[in-house]
Amino acid sequence: MPEPQPAVDEAIAAIVQAISDIEGPLPPKKRAIVEQAVLTFAEKGFDAASTKEIAQRAGVAEATIFRHFATKEDLLLRLVQPVVSRVVVPAATEQFERVMAAEKGRVEDVLRVVLKERLGVIRRFAPLIRILIQEIPFRPELQKVLFSQIPAGLGGALAMMQREMDSGRMRREPPTRIARWIASLFGGYFIASTIFAPGPGWDDDAEVDALVGVLAHGILKVSDGDGPQA
Amino acid sequence: MPEPQPAVDEAIAAIVQAISDIEGPLPPKKRAIVEQAVLTFAEKGFDAASTKEIAQRAGVAEATIFRHFATKEDLLLRLVQPVVSRVVVPAATEQFERVMAAEKGRVEDVLRVVLKERLGVIRRFAPLIRILIQEIPFRPELQKVLFSQIPAGLGGALAMMQREMDSGRMRREPPTRIARWIASLFGGYFIASTIFAPGPGWDDDAEVDALVGVLAHGILKVSDGDGPQA
Amino acid sequence: MPEPQPAVDEAIAAIVQAISDIEGPLPPKKRAIVEQAVLTFAEKGFDAASTKEIAQRAGVAEATIFRHFATKEDLLLRLVQPVVSRVVVPAATEQFERVMAAEKGRVEDVLRVVLKERLGVIRRFAPLIRILIQEIPFRPELQKVLFSQIPAGLGGALAMMQREMDSGRMRREPPTRIARWIASLFGGYFIASTIFAPGPGWDDDAEVDALVGVLAHGILKVSDGDGPQA
Amino acid sequence: MPEPQPAVDEAIAAIVQAISDIEGPLPPKKRAIVEQAVLTFAEKGFDAASTKEIAQRAGVAEATIFRHFATKEDLLLRLVQPVVSRVVVPAATEQFERVMAAEKGRVEDVLRVVLKERLGVIRRFAPLIRILIQEIPFRPELQKVLFSQIPAGLGGALAMMQREMDSGRMRREPPTRIARWIASLFGGYFIASTIFAPGPGWDDDAEVDALVGVLAHGILKVSDGDGPQA
DNA sequence: TATGAATGAGCTTTCATTCAT
DNA sequence: AATGAATGAAAGCTCATTCAT
């Protein structure tokens, strides 16, 4: 009987909350299934996590899982979908606009605030995100959910970038490319700090500051003639 | 009997070559097993690819797989290991030094040349790398192989960065952080162009140029007082 | 579909009863599995009896076996254990004391009564005992079960022997040696009549009488100066 | 690579010798196969000993086993047969007559000498005898070999017993019954000292003396009216 | 709502044995 | 005489899922 770490516990509470928001309050056994499914998927991956083990850890009969979830894949999707579609993405959109107004559109400040807040949100769902990353390549359902939501979440950001380029404060680049850079740096940090080398020793605030710094100004010092002429 | 695409064919040839370099020339059936294992793993993922299917596609008896590879996991490792340890990493090390000499140490130029060449190498092994990424979180063996090799490959790069910072041409940052940024941007591009949205429409050269550009100078234009003073 | 002989049928009923006493009433399919497992093990030996065959003979799916018994070896142990630990041994202890009281401790009479009753019990479980003998050398679990129970069963007998020796009616010998002789003669008869040359032509009562006779007085006639002096 | 104990080594040498006597000198690889087959069968039982393991331990290719022995069962029989038919049994016959002449037919003395010598012979082949015991119930071939030889070996003993009974020195009992008693006591001691509780602490000579004692005179002391009258 | 029982299809792996060299 | 390669058959066991209660 493995002890869930507090961090995971918190993540699970958030996931349960997200599901409850959609489906209404969860009966206790269903809730237990959700909790243990997240834990087990995160520990072993989707394929290696058997419904038998999930049932045992949740203290229910295996058949009970299938009362609540049509198939094992359905269980996965019902865990991941609400997180993606109701928590991660919409918050991003809404929050982006709010921050932009407050910060008067200074790109670096906006990025800094948004990324820090996003990092907080994502950290709460870390176990599920790990599963998400694992399973996306082979599950068209997941791809659909994710890619249909991402553009919406990006709308505000793309608009901001376009405005900055038009006003000459930002170099001209395809906005999706810039979005990819941001996502890469952000995701790279998240993966490094969560999956490859989890544990203490990471300072989220400092890392995001540095990340925004390099995005804004690069790693080289400014010197005459060194800047790109575009 | 699915037709392997030409790109995959090329990747497989490279993998077979890498294995042959270690184990000597492969008997034809063993070679067929290797080929079809790569294909099947890449298509379906490790867990969903059954040894029975691999055997059928390779035109051998299932037992033949286990004459050549002790277990299914051993098959995976023996596919991935030589790629990681004999092709990707050492080439990086050697090539880094060569380029640094040729380019007289101009960071942007070195990065540009190295990343382009790395991208070429990696593209040849794309199917396997996809598997690698999938399975790494759950396979300590793979982690060991990969993480024991990476530092060696990074040595040259870290030294270069240190030198640049000492000479005042590069902002002071922990070198591993910079390495992570490079890897993130590079990996993000590879994943985007390979896994999420494969197909034409990507211009590797242009993307690497842009990537090095943002790394060196950021996305913001230089303006008085805008550059960081530290 | 081989017809079980009546003798075996009776043995199986006894085994099923013994298991039911421990685990509660057996569901019909579980019962069928137990029955056919005993038959098949006895016919072919443990290794040569496949779970597939047992399942077919029991009219269940192979997987059903593994719902009720964790492994094939667990199936064997769960068949053998109750026989050893709940039927053979405790009966021996209890019955020994009862007989000793009734027979006023005359060694020959006690032995005769006890061995005859033991023979009856053992005959009921003959098929399982055959398996037991076969598998004991290679299954530490079985050894543990058996050897942990035997001393308890022997307690009464050892006490009786000690008393006889102290009172001068029995030659001094290490009691375990005498126990071994009894077990050897008894087991030798059982094996000969059951395994090597089964079938009619054996008269249990007469054989036990003769066996006790030789134990008590040897095969030689008493003549002057021939008896041992020690 | 387990170290064979010296005792086992000696047994193997005897077996190899017995086989050589029939088939001529063994080529080294065949000899290695024989040696490791005996060891492996003894350790794990016939079924659980795979030809692969035997080949590995013998340092030969698996196919080489089948050059020399048609099937795995043939290997077993070719190990056991010569031991039974050329060493154990004929020695018994010949030796019995020799001893009887020397001891002037005193039953106890003859038994003592013969059993001690038999014990010595049997100890040399202990590993094989264990296999023999295991496999006899399921291998008609083995049964044939053994049961066709035993009567020959028993001839001398049966004749002696008949003579003793006719002369009034031995109680009348069916000679096969007496033979069974002897075999039971002897076998019981061998099994106890070899299989169940191997190791030191056994004194073969003393045990055989005691065994012959109980056979001759029983465990009870002679007292007036206590001896059987029949 | 919950479950114990049951299962068909599938899994990876091992087996003794054959054959071309 | 010896073997590396190969294999069909079978092994024990696990899987997600169904169903009567």
Side-chain angles (χ1 to χ4, degrees):
Chain A
M1 218 50 65
E3 295 280 334
Q5 308 104 304
V8 175
D9 262 1
E10 201 188 333
I12 287 175
I15 293 160
V16 168
Q17 184 57 48
I19 297 176
S20 305
D21 287 349
I22 299 179
E23 313 192 1
L26 299 185
K29 300 237 164 180
K30 183 167 185 179
R31 186 198 162 101
I33 291 167
V34 166
E35 289 172 353
Q36 297 305 320
V38 173
L39 280 173
T40 314
F41 286 157
E43 266 172 39
K44 316 196 152 181
F46 179 76
D47 284 291
S50 71
T51 51
K52 182 181 181 183
E53 178 175 359
I54 295 170
Q56 278 170 346
R57 288 165 69 146
V60 304
E62 218 178 334
T64 307
I65 293 179
F66 294 95
R67 285 257 129 243
H68 295 290
F69 304 92
T71 66
K72 191 187 171 193
E73 188 170 14
D74 178 48
L75 172 57
L76 172 66
L77 292 176
R78 297 260 288 282
L79 293 180
V80 164
Q81 245 169 10
V83 173
V84 173
S85 63
R86 309 225 334 157
V87 177
V88 178
V89 174
T93 315
E94 166 221 335
Q95 176 227 13
F96 210 90
E97 279 151 12
R98 178 166 37 82
V99 173
M100 270 207 300
E103 302 290 335
K104 310 257 163 78
R106 290 197 72 247
V107 173
E108 289 176 80
D109 299 329
V110 171
L111 265 180
R112 222 177 336 254
V113 174
V114 168
L115 289 186
K116 281 177 186 175
E117 200 164 327
R118 281 307 87 196
L119 195 55
V121 173
I122 276 189
R123 285 225 180 276
R124 305 189 61 203
F125 295 96
L128 263 192
I129 286 168
R130 180 178 174 163
I131 306 167
L132 197 78
I133 293 171
Q134 288 290 317
E135 295 303 322
I136 269 205
F138 302 113
R139 295 201 196 268
E141 285 288 336
L142 275 185
Q143 291 168 18
K144 215 165 36 185
V145 173
L146 191 61
F147 290 115
S148 71
Q149 305 282 358
I150 279 185
L154 249 55
L158 293 177
M160 179 185 79
M161 286 190 267
Q162 202 62 54
R163 191 164 9 86
E164 292 298 303
M165 287 189 250
D166 291 346
S167 70
R169 282 191 298 271
M170 190 186 286
R171 261 198 286 284
R172 290 221 167 265
E173 296 274 6
T176 58
R177 178 184 279 170
I178 297 181
R180 175 156 40 77
W181 285 339
I182 297 174
S184 297
L185 290 168
F186 184 74
Y189 171 60
F190 177 73
I191 289 171
S193 64
T194 304
I195 296 180
F196 284 154
W202 300 93
D203 178 341
D204 280 359
D205 275 355
E207 287 290 342
V208 170
D209 288 343
L211 188 159
V212 172
V214 74
L215 247 177
H217 308 293
I219 56 179
L220 299 190
K221 287 202 178 158
V222 181
S223 64
D224 300 55
D226 197 30
Q229 264 71 15
Chain B
M1 219 50 64
E3 294 281 336
Q5 309 104 303
V8 175
D9 261 0
E10 200 188 333
I12 287 175
I15 292 160
V16 167
Q17 183 57 48
I19 296 177
S20 304
D21 287 348
I22 298 179
E23 313 193 2
L26 300 185
K29 300 236 166 180
K30 183 168 183 178
R31 187 197 161 101
I33 291 167
V34 166
E35 290 172 353
Q36 297 305 321
V38 172
L39 281 173
T40 315
F41 285 156
E43 266 173 39
K44 315 196 153 182
F46 179 76
D47 284 292
S50 75
T51 52
K52 185 178 183 184
E53 177 174 1
I54 295 171
Q56 279 169 345
R57 287 164 69 146
V60 304
E62 215 177 337
T64 305
I65 293 179
F66 293 96
R67 267 202 62 74
H68 294 291
F69 305 91
T71 65
K72 191 187 171 192
E73 188 170 11
D74 177 49
L75 173 55
L76 172 66
L77 290 176
R78 298 260 289 281
L79 293 180
V80 164
Q81 242 169 13
V83 173
V84 172
S85 64
R86 310 233 326 164
V87 177
V88 177
V89 174
T93 314
E94 166 221 335
Q95 177 227 11
F96 210 89
E97 280 150 14
R98 180 165 35 81
V99 172
M100 269 206 302
E103 304 290 337
K104 310 254 162 81
R106 290 197 71 245
V107 174
E108 290 177 78
D109 299 328
V110 171
L111 264 181
R112 225 178 333 255
V113 175
V114 168
L115 290 187
K116 282 177 185 175
E117 201 164 324
R118 282 305 88 194
L119 195 55
V121 173
I122 277 188
R123 285 226 180 277
R124 304 188 61 203
F125 295 96
L128 262 192
I129 286 168
R130 179 180 174 161
I131 306 169
L132 196 80
I133 293 171
Q134 288 291 317
E135 296 301 324
I136 268 207
F138 304 113
R139 291 193 204 273
E141 285 289 333
L142 275 184
Q143 292 169 17
K144 216 166 34 185
V145 173
L146 192 60
F147 289 115
S148 70
Q149 305 281 358
I150 280 186
L154 248 56
L158 294 178
M160 179 185 80
M161 285 191 265
Q162 201 61 54
R163 191 163 9 85
E164 292 297 305
M165 287 190 250
D166 291 346
S167 70
R169 284 191 296 273
M170 191 185 284
R171 259 197 286 285
R172 290 224 166 264
E173 295 275 5
T176 57
R177 178 184 278 171
I178 298 182
R180 175 155 42 78
W181 286 338
I182 298 176
S184 297
L185 291 168
F186 184 74
Y189 171 59
F190 176 73
I191 289 171
S193 65
T194 304
I195 297 180
F196 285 155
W202 299 93
D203 178 342
D204 278 0
D205 274 356
E207 286 290 342
V208 169
D209 288 343
L211 187 159
V212 171
V214 74
L215 245 178
H217 308 293
I219 55 179
L220 299 190
K221 283 200 179 158
V222 180
S223 63
D224 300 56
D226 197 27
Q229 264 71 18
Chain C
M1 219 49 66
E3 295 281 335
Q5 308 106 304
V8 176
D9 261 2
E10 201 188 332
I12 287 175
I15 292 160
V16 167
Q17 185 57 48
I19 296 177
S20 303
D21 287 348
I22 298 178
E23 313 192 1
L26 300 184
K29 301 237 167 181
K30 184 169 184 178
R31 186 197 163 101
I33 290 167
V34 166
E35 290 172 353
Q36 298 305 320
V38 173
L39 282 173
T40 315
F41 286 156
E43 267 173 40
K44 316 197 153 180
F46 179 76
D47 284 293
S50 74
T51 52
K52 185 179 182 184
E53 177 175 0
I54 296 171
Q56 279 169 347
R57 287 165 68 147
V60 304
E62 213 178 337
T64 306
I65 293 179
F66 293 97
R67 266 200 64 72
H68 294 292
F69 304 92
T71 66
K72 192 188 170 190
E73 187 171 12
D74 177 49
L75 173 55
L76 172 66
L77 290 175
R78 298 260 289 279
L79 294 181
V80 164
Q81 243 170 13
V83 174
V84 172
S85 64
R86 310 231 328 162
V87 177
V88 177
V89 173
T93 315
E94 166 221 336
Q95 177 226 8
F96 211 89
E97 280 151 14
R98 178 166 37 80
V99 173
M100 269 206 301
E103 304 290 336
K104 310 257 163 81
R106 291 197 72 245
V107 174
E108 290 177 79
D109 299 327
V110 171
L111 265 181
R112 226 179 331 257
V113 175
V114 169
L115 291 186
K116 281 177 185 173
E117 200 164 327
R118 282 305 87 195
L119 195 54
V121 173
I122 278 187
R123 286 227 180 277
R124 305 188 61 202
F125 295 97
L128 262 192
I129 286 167
R130 179 180 173 161
I131 306 168
L132 196 79
I133 294 171
Q134 289 290 317
E135 295 301 324
I136 268 206
F138 303 113
R139 293 195 199 272
E141 285 288 336
L142 275 185
Q143 293 169 17
K144 216 166 34 184
V145 172
L146 192 59
F147 290 115
S148 71
Q149 305 282 358
I150 278 186
L154 248 54
L158 294 177
M160 180 186 78
M161 286 191 265
Q162 201 62 53
R163 192 166 7 88
E164 293 297 305
M165 286 190 249
D166 291 345
S167 70
R169 284 191 297 271
M170 190 186 285
R171 262 199 285 285
R172 292 223 166 266
E173 295 273 7
T176 57
R177 180 184 279 170
I178 299 182
R180 177 156 39 80
W181 286 337
I182 299 175
S184 297
L185 291 168
F186 184 75
Y189 171 60
F190 177 73
I191 289 171
S193 65
T194 305
I195 296 179
F196 284 155
W202 299 94
D203 178 342
D204 280 358
D205 275 355
E207 287 289 343
V208 169
D209 288 341
L211 188 159
V212 171
V214 75
L215 245 177
H217 309 293
I219 55 178
L220 299 190
K221 285 201 181 158
V222 180
S223 64
D224 300 55
D226 198 30
Q229 266 70 17
Chain D
M1 220 50 64
E3 295 281 335
Q5 309 105 304
V8 176
D9 262 1
E10 203 187 332
I12 287 175
I15 293 159
V16 168
Q17 184 57 48
I19 296 177
S20 304
D21 287 349
I22 300 179
E23 313 192 1
L26 301 183
K29 300 236 165 181
K30 184 168 184 179
R31 186 198 161 100
I33 290 167
V34 166
E35 290 172 353
Q36 298 304 320
V38 173
L39 281 173
T40 315
F41 286 156
E43 268 173 38
K44 317 196 151 180
F46 180 76
D47 284 292
S50 71
T51 51
K52 183 180 180 183
E53 178 176 359
I54 295 170
Q56 279 170 346
R57 288 165 68 145
V60 304
E62 219 177 334
T64 307
I65 293 179
F66 294 95
R67 283 257 131 244
H68 294 291
F69 305 91
T71 65
K72 190 189 173 192
E73 189 171 13
D74 177 48
L75 172 57
L76 172 66
L77 292 175
R78 298 259 291 279
L79 293 181
V80 164
Q81 248 170 7
V83 174
V84 173
S85 64
R86 310 228 331 159
V87 177
V88 177
V89 175
T93 314
E94 167 220 334
Q95 177 226 11
F96 211 90
E97 281 151 11
R98 179 165 35 81
V99 172
M100 269 206 302
E103 303 291 335
K104 310 254 164 80
R106 290 197 73 247
V107 173
E108 289 176 81
D109 299 328
V110 172
L111 265 181
R112 225 178 332 254
V113 174
V114 168
L115 290 187
K116 282 177 185 174
E117 201 165 325
R118 282 305 87 193
L119 196 54
V121 172
I122 277 190
R123 285 224 181 279
R124 305 188 61 203
F125 295 96
L128 263 191
I129 286 168
R130 180 179 175 160
I131 307 167
L132 197 78
I133 294 171
Q134 288 290 316
E135 294 302 323
I136 269 207
F138 303 113
R139 294 201 197 268
E141 286 287 337
L142 275 185
Q143 292 168 16
K144 218 167 30 184
V145 173
L146 191 60
F147 290 116
S148 71
Q149 306 282 358
I150 279 186
L154 249 54
L158 294 177
M160 179 186 79
M161 286 190 264
Q162 202 61 56
R163 191 163 9 87
E164 292 298 304
M165 287 190 248
D166 291 345
S167 70
R169 282 192 297 272
M170 190 185 285
R171 263 197 283 285
R172 290 224 167 265
E173 295 274 7
T176 56
R177 180 184 278 170
I178 299 182
R180 176 155 39 78
W181 286 338
I182 299 175
S184 296
L185 290 168
F186 185 74
Y189 171 60
F190 176 73
I191 290 172
S193 64
T194 304
I195 297 180
F196 284 154
W202 298 94
D203 178 341
D204 279 0
D205 276 353
E207 287 289 342
V208 169
D209 288 343
L211 189 159
V212 171
V214 75
L215 246 177
H217 309 292
I219 55 179
L220 299 191
K221 284 201 181 159
V222 181
S223 63
D224 300 56
D226 198 30
Q229 264 70 17

